[in-house]
Amino acid sequence: MKRIKVLQLQPDYNVKQHDFADLAEQIILTLPADEYETVSAFLSGKAASDQPESRAERSVYFSFSSRQLKGLRVRALWQLYSLCRAEQFDVIIANRFKPISMLLLLSRWFPRTGFIGIVHGFGDFERSYRQRQVQRLAGPNWKFVGVSPAVRQHLLDYQRGFTEANTIAITNAIDVDKALGLQLQRPEARRRLHLPAEATLVGVVGRLVPVKGHDILLKAFAALKDRYPDTHVVIIGEGRERPRLERLIAELNLTGRVHLPGFVPDALQYVRAFDIWAMPSLSEGLGLALLEGMCGALPVIASDVPAMQPLIEGAGGLAVKPGDVGSLQQALDTYLALSADERRAKGEAAFAYVRASHSISEYRGAYKRLVDVMAQFSSSR
């Protein structure tokens, strides 16, 4: 029996060593090798000798420069077209805007290929010309997936190209059992990150960029630091905001009370170092890091943005207004005033929610069914 041939295209190489939260790889893993032939392709970047490759049967690294992926992108489009023409894929999965945009332009030459565009956040299609591109080029062989019901509704609200028929939601998930196996115990996690052994720690994981709202967290914590002298904040991540955050830490007299370990591979292994998990983001597509905090059985605080509202509610966490220092200060105060046992109980409730409601098996099953549906376009070849 001929196997279904599937390409998954991503903007950048970003394969994780551990796949519990690598959702692109989870799609590959859900397609059994005796039924599907899988290829992973990356527009930019390449795995170094000490980095993992995709679990797909083959990986293709285009290694385009940022310049080659701007403007008309003639060379990049030609090479992508050549790959698709030579391989005759039955289904092509595109992650994020750039791969979706390129494949929309090429899909007219592949009417018997099923295309799946996965949209991860709210900003990808804000520009009207991008909406027009979907409206003009997305034929019946296209399906779009929002990574949460909120993202799906956001796309539908454009009323340009995204329709009830071609746009669905498949909620992101996490492999809870694998995540548990990776987590270090509290003393070891703190030792490796050089954190105080006995302090109460508010933990954050996220790139040091403005949209993550780390400055809001620092300001909220500064108002409470004297009331809770044994509490520290830890922000795991790296990015262009580091100099500004370091200046803010000094200005708010938080030196020694806020820790910036930088980028840490597989940061989830350190989740049990913390007592409270915070996500003060100004915007999120789903907020996978919020699920990671729940896997550590931590009480969660997160911004009340559409994608995270149902997660916060389901976990019994505290929702705060995005960008509102006072709201976040109040939430921190609420959890810090609890006893360790009371916080632990709230964390266990969050863990029970993520295990019950964000099953990786359901995620895999939804994508396998979608791939099978979209493969029907190739049956007339």
Side-chain angles (χ1 to χ4, degrees):
M1 183 180 71
K2 177 182 177 295
R3 293 188 296 168
I4 296 172
K5 198 167 188 178
V6 180
L7 169 69
Q8 182 163 215
L9 180 64
Q10 299 193 64
D12 308 290
Y13 164 78
N14 190 29
V15 178
K16 305 293 192 300
Q17 185 69 46
H18 300 280
D19 57 32
F20 60 87
D22 190 333
L23 296 178
E25 287 300 293
Q26 289 292 342
I27 295 173
I28 295 295
L29 290 171
T30 199
L31 304 175
D34 60 337
E35 298 178 41
Y36 304 85
E37 179 182 349
T38 55
V39 179
S40 288
F42 307 88
L43 296 177
S44 301
K46 185 175 183 178
S49 58
D50 60 342
Q51 292 179 306
E53 287 203 295
S54 172
R55 281 72 165 176
E57 291 182 36
R58 290 184 290 131
S59 292
V60 176
Y61 300 101
F62 287 106
S63 298
F64 295 130
S65 67
S66 58
R67 183 177 180 181
Q68 290 171 323
L69 293 171
K70 294 179 180 178
L72 295 178
R73 304 170 293 187
V74 175
R75 179 182 174 187
L77 284 166
W78 174 252
Q79 289 192 31
L80 181 56
Y81 167 79
S82 298
L83 173 70
C84 296
R85 183 184 61 180
E87 298 284 350
Q88 291 295 299
F89 296 107
D90 298 300
V91 178
I92 299 178
I93 303 168
N95 279 277
R96 301 185 184 275
F97 170 73
K98 199 165 290 182
I100 292 173
S101 174
M102 294 175 71
L103 287 168
L104 280 167
L105 293 169
L106 297 178
S107 59
R108 70 183 71 181
W109 286 284
F110 301 97
R112 295 175 182 168
T113 296
F115 291 88
I116 300 169
I118 304 177
V119 182
H120 292 252
F122 293 95
D124 283 358
F125 292 89
E126 283 299 302
R127 299 176 185 177
S128 60
Y129 82 87
R130 295 182 176 185
Q131 299 165 33
R132 290 197 303 272
Q133 187 183 51
V134 175
Q135 191 172 36
R136 188 175 72 254
L137 299 176
N141 58 336
W142 271 92
K143 287 279 189 184
F144 298 96
V145 179
V147 299
S148 69
V151 173
R152 176 183 183 263
Q153 188 57 52
H154 179 75
L155 297 174
L156 293 176
D157 287 345
Y158 288 132
Q159 298 184 3
R160 300 179 78 175
F162 300 104
T163 69
E164 293 282 350
N166 72 10
T167 307
I168 65 173
I170 299 179
T171 301
N172 280 350
I174 191 166
D175 191 327
V176 174
D177 292 329
K178 282 190 177 182
L180 291 176
L182 183 65
Q183 291 171 9
L184 298 170
Q185 292 303 308
R186 176 189 177 99
E188 179 63 11
R190 292 190 172 200
R191 185 188 67 80
R192 292 195 188 186
L193 291 177
H194 308 290
L195 301 174
E198 301 302 326
T200 298
L201 299 184
V202 178
V204 189
V205 174
R207 293 171 297 127
L208 305 187
V209 293
V211 74
K212 294 300 182 181
H214 298 314
D215 58 332
I216 307 300
L217 176 61
L218 295 181
K219 293 172 184 176
F221 177 57
L224 297 169
K225 65 182 176 66
D226 295 332
R227 189 181 307 173
Y228 301 102
D230 295 327
T231 297
H232 292 231
V233 167
V234 184
I235 305 174
I236 296 178
E238 195 53 81
R240 66 180 187 274
E241 281 281 280
R242 174 179 279 273
R244 190 172 81 89
L245 293 176
E246 289 175 338
R247 289 194 299 271
L248 189 58
I249 289 168
E251 292 169 5
L252 296 172
N253 296 316
L254 293 174
T255 302
R257 299 282 300 278
V258 175
H259 308 266
L260 303 177
F263 170 75
V264 177
D266 298 317
L268 180 62
Q269 65 185 312
Y270 300 103
V271 67
R272 288 188 180 272
F274 308 133
D275 299 282
I276 297 168
W277 191 261
M279 280 193 69
S281 306
L282 305 182
S283 175
E284 287 285 349
L286 172 72
L288 189 59
L290 188 58
L291 300 183
E292 293 178 353
M294 295 177 194
C295 280
L298 298 178
V300 295
I301 298 171
S303 296
D304 190 18
V305 296
M308 293 201 291
Q309 285 171 351
L311 307 186
I312 304 166
E313 182 179 351
L318 297 178
V320 299
K321 297 177 183 177
D324 188 303
V325 173
S327 179
L328 183 53
Q329 176 187 333
Q330 183 177 359
L332 287 171
D333 194 16
T334 298
Y335 276 162
L336 290 172
L338 298 178
S339 69
D341 286 342
E342 289 171 326
R343 284 196 297 267
R344 195 172 299 114
K346 289 187 175 296
E348 291 296 338
F351 177 78
Y353 163 76
V354 73
R355 181 180 280 284
S357 302
H358 292 273
S359 162
I360 199 67
S361 61
E362 291 183 12
Y363 175 90
R364 288 178 173 178
Y367 270 105
K368 186 177 185 300
R369 290 189 294 272
L370 180 58
V371 167
D372 289 343
V373 167
M374 300 310 289
Q376 295 176 9
F377 287 95
S378 67
S379 61
S380 58
R381 285 178 183 167

